[in-house]
Amino acid sequence: MEYVSPEGLRLDGRRPMEMRQIRAEIGAVSRADGSAIFEMGNTKVVAAVYGPREVQNRSQQMSDQALIRCEYSMANFSTGDRKRKPKGDRRSTEISLVIRQTMEACIMTHLMPRSQIDIYVQVLQADGGTRSACINAATLALADAGIPMRDLVTSCSAGYLNSIPLLDLNYVEDSAGGPDVTVGILPKLDKVTLLQMDSKLPIDILENVVQLATEGCKAVANYIREILLENTKQLEYRRGV
Amino acid sequence: MSFKSGQFEAIRKKKQIPECGFKPTPKKTRLKIRSGAVASANGSALVKIGSTTMLSAIKMEVMTPSLESPDEGCLAIDFHMPPICSPIVRPGRPAEAAPVLSKQLSDTISSSGIIDLKELSLVTGKAAWMAYLDVYCLDADGALFDAALLSAVAALSHLQIPAVSMNDDGKIVLMSDDDGQKQAQEPVNKEKRNLTLRSIPFSLTCILHKNYILVDPTAEEESVMETVVTIALDTSGQLVSLYKPGGPVLAFTPSIQDCVALTRQRVKELKGILEEANSTMQVE
């Protein structure tokens, strides 16, 4: 099947180096300490952060740092066919672990000992790149909750189909059987915190694809900074500063 | 009890509840319905009442009808409270309110007779539609049942049954737009159609406290007071369900009648807003 036409257009009309449209909104869930909605094309994700608060399971309490917990779940109607088991399945557990470890790397946990920070991510619509959208949403939600972080964490995926590196795969391109590389970076510090890849890829091509995904991450980081700046201005107006 | 009365007094002063006991009914700006929020579902709606947010979506699958009712489809309703909605919901331990609300919602919708299950039939005895209605609470700020029922009803009115036909193996397949083999396939459901809704139920939750009735409580108010009454009426004014699950305050007939009168006002308001949401969706 042809994923990139001879004119250089993908199935949804994008160019190979073009990302899907991003949209983010802070403060969607009023009950949460911090929350955000993040959309990448048709993939729509809600993240809510509760914390720092008292550790619910005393045995897990750490005296020198905060405990980070993360849960990823997909709504029953998020995928094409209705999902029977949205939570306990292996994929969700794995992604929960990945998001937790990614965010743990950038949250300054030593500033909040004996406390717990819960990050919950709910996928409302899944069209490829849910992992990346979740990490981006979690970053915004943590910033909204005022939790101290070393840097933002942004993530983007890239693949390699028809011998062309493609940025930000959607569901159809992802299920094509080609490699799917997900990269998560700390943009200001220019460090890679998450790097995952499926399927096979020649090593000399890997560098190109990872570079492409990193560019995508930086674009997301710019957008997130704009959103946070706008949000801060709004807060200033409301405080009457 | 005295500790709770003190808290109630504090809330009363903060919210400026007049002495007569009725909190002013919420203004229309606080209530929003958006149909078609989930593009991948056959019918969906996002409802916000104050801060309480509910997202419901309907997915249709084909199934074989049961032997007792071969010409009827099925509607399965499920209510979920994911951990994002409230600080008291923990992962791994579903909220206490979730299965209760799930059953309440299921019962109210089936007893209101809003849809005729016969409309969900395809081929008598062989194939019928199974509609899965999932309601997700995204923000739990009190009066969850009202928002859940409204979003379920809005999703049902937005639902479009896909066009299908039966192929040679006797299986039902979705009709695609560029179907060149139309002659070989027998269309069972010619084009996308909406369900006809008969009587639509709307509800209102109130809190009874001494001689006050607090309408449409927030989570803060619900946590302080324990006696909750939920009344569901349909558009023709008939009582669909009345739910008062215990609580320290006893409900005398006048209070229940007052609640029903308040619900009647609310039904008019909600009906108008739902119709508006449906018409804006059709224009698009």
Side-chain angles (χ1 to χ4, degrees):
Chain A
M1 178 164 172
E2 216 181 63
Y3 292 98
V4 185
S5 73
E7 298 95 51
L9 291 177
R10 287 151 78 169
L11 293 169
D12 51 4
R14 284 185 283 155
R15 299 251 156 226
M17 306 255 188
E18 206 182 309
M19 275 189 76
R20 290 176 290 183
Q21 200 173 51
I22 323 175
R23 201 186 80 88
E25 198 186 301
I26 300 186
V29 179
S30 66
R31 295 276 280 163
D33 293 322
S35 61
I37 296 184
F38 199 87
E39 288 178 44
M40 285 171 97
N42 284 330
T43 299
K44 205 176 185 181
V45 154
V46 181
V49 167
Y50 289 95
R53 56 179 177 179
E54 199 178 320
V55 184
Q56 279 159 349
N57 194 354
R58 269 305 173 83
S59 59
Q60 290 174 336
Q61 194 181 58
M62 291 191 278
S63 57
D64 59 341
Q65 54 176 304
L67 175 71
I68 312 279
R69 276 208 311 189
C70 177
E71 199 191 58
Y72 165 96
S73 82
M74 298 181 80
N76 281 337
F77 45 76
S78 57
T79 52
D81 298 316
R82 186 174 181 267
K83 265 186 97 75
R84 295 302 163 124
K85 218 184 167 204
K87 277 199 225 182
D89 65 318
R90 295 184 306 194
R91 182 177 170 272
S92 300
T93 316
E94 191 246 326
I95 299 184
S96 303
L97 179 81
V98 164
I99 299 178
R100 176 169 67 80
Q101 289 181 181
T102 310
M103 304 322 289
E104 234 173 342
C106 81
I107 296 177
M108 296 170 127
T109 50
H110 59 278
L111 293 179
M112 298 160 289
R114 283 183 218 101
S115 68
Q116 174 178 305
I117 298 175
D118 290 323
I119 308 171
Y120 301 127
V121 193
Q122 178 81 27
V123 177
L124 299 176
Q125 262 181 236
D127 188 25
T130 51
R131 203 175 297 231
S132 303
C134 289
I135 291 174
N136 296 329
T139 300
L140 273 171
L142 285 164
D144 187 34
I147 291 179
M149 295 196 280
R150 293 189 180 87
D151 194 357
L152 302 172
V153 186
T154 53
S155 167
C156 192
S157 65
Y160 188 72
L161 289 171
N162 295 145
S163 313
I164 303 175
L166 302 174
L167 180 59
D168 196 11
L169 305 172
N170 60 25
Y171 181 70
V172 181
E173 291 166 342
D174 202 356
S175 1
D180 172 19
V181 178
T182 307
V183 175
I185 63 167
L186 303 177
K188 267 243 166 75
L189 300 175
D190 212 8
K191 289 191 178 175
V192 175
T193 167
L194 167 69
L195 180 58
Q196 281 187 303
M197 195 195 92
D198 300 323
S199 185
K200 288 195 283 198
L201 187 63
I203 295 190
D204 44 341
I205 314 265
L206 176 68
E207 205 181 308
N208 282 348
V209 177
V210 170
Q211 185 57 34
L212 186 59
T214 312
E215 290 300 317
C217 295
K218 293 202 175 124
V220 175
N222 284 337
Y223 180 74
I224 287 185
R225 273 193 209 106
E226 265 172 41
I227 292 285
L228 286 172
L229 205 58
E230 183 61 44
N231 188 48
T232 311
K233 281 194 189 144
Q234 288 286 328
L235 292 172
E236 270 186 320
Y237 288 148
R238 281 187 221 155
R239 282 189 66 189
V241 170
Chain B
M1 195 60 200
S2 57
F3 170 69
K4 284 196 177 153
S5 312
Q7 275 187 298
F8 170 64
E9 279 304 312
I11 292 179
R12 194 171 78 80
K13 286 193 181 107
K14 192 169 85 169
K15 301 269 161 97
Q16 286 139 26
I17 301 166
E19 270 302 324
C20 69
F22 291 85
K23 202 168 82 175
T25 21
K27 301 190 197 90
K28 256 187 207 169
T29 46
R30 274 186 59 207
L31 223 159
K32 290 181 216 166
I33 306 181
R34 190 158 75 90
S35 298
V38 179
S40 53
N42 301 102
S44 59
L46 175 71
V47 165
K48 261 184 125 144
I49 300 187
S51 295
T52 304
T53 311
M54 297 276 170
L55 176 64
S56 48
I58 306 179
K59 280 247 170 201
M60 311 275 284
E61 276 176 16
V62 182
M63 61 153 197
T64 15
S66 65
L67 291 168
E68 299 94 45
S69 35
D71 57 347
E72 280 183 5
C74 193
L75 174 65
I77 304 174
D78 206 5
F79 178 75
H80 307 257
M81 274 183 83
I84 56 169
C85 72
S86 164
I88 46 181
V89 179
R90 286 199 262 156
R93 239 223 208 148
E96 202 182 51
V100 172
L101 260 148
S102 191
K103 177 146 202 321
Q104 232 187 314
L105 206 56
S106 229
D107 287 344
T108 305
I109 290 189
S110 57
S111 56
S112 71
I114 181 175
I115 58 169
D116 184 3
L117 290 176
K118 293 195 169 48
E119 280 197 29
L120 292 176
S121 169
L122 282 168
V123 179
T124 311
K126 287 204 193 133
W129 284 117
M130 174 76 167
Y132 291 103
L133 169 59
D134 291 298
V135 184
Y136 275 78
C137 179
L138 299 180
D139 198 346
D141 195 25
L144 300 179
F145 182 73
D146 298 344
L149 183 62
L150 187 58
S151 74
V153 159
L156 281 167
S157 46
H158 175 250
L159 175 66
Q160 286 208 307
I161 304 182
V164 290
S165 55
M166 181 134 65
N167 67 7
D168 307 315
D169 302 325
K171 285 216 177 104
I172 302 275
V173 288
L174 275 175
M175 271 200 324
S176 47
D177 293 321
D178 46 56
D179 211 350
Q181 321 148 4
K182 260 197 184 126
Q183 296 89 17
Q185 293 174 338
E186 199 190 293
V188 172
N189 197 17
K190 289 238 171 65
E191 73 260 314
K192 286 189 175 188
R193 61 184 168 91
N194 283 36
L195 282 176
T196 38
L197 301 181
R198 297 186 294 194
S199 65
I200 307 180
F202 295 107
S203 76
L204 182 65
T205 305
C206 317
I207 288 185
L208 301 178
H209 179 88
K210 294 186 196 167
N211 42 4
Y212 294 112
I213 299 180
L214 284 184
V215 162
D216 194 19
T218 61
E220 194 188 351
E221 292 164 345
E222 274 183 357
S223 65
V224 172
M225 287 164 263
E226 288 167 0
T227 312
V228 180
V229 175
T230 305
I231 298 184
L233 294 176
D234 70 11
T235 40
S236 57
Q238 282 192 315
L239 185 65
V240 173
S241 94
L242 197 156
Y243 189 72
K244 180 189 182 296
V249 177
L250 303 171
F252 295 101
T253 323
S255 346
I256 298 289
Q257 282 172 342
D258 287 336
C259 290
V260 175
L262 286 163
T263 314
R264 213 165 273 139
Q265 276 180 305
R266 180 71 148 172
V267 167
K268 275 190 224 140
E269 205 186 315
L270 292 178
K271 190 173 161 204
I273 295 181
L274 184 62
E275 274 165 14
E276 208 182 295
N278 281 342
S279 58
T280 38
M281 192 252 319
Q282 267 157 17
V283 165
E284 278 162 30

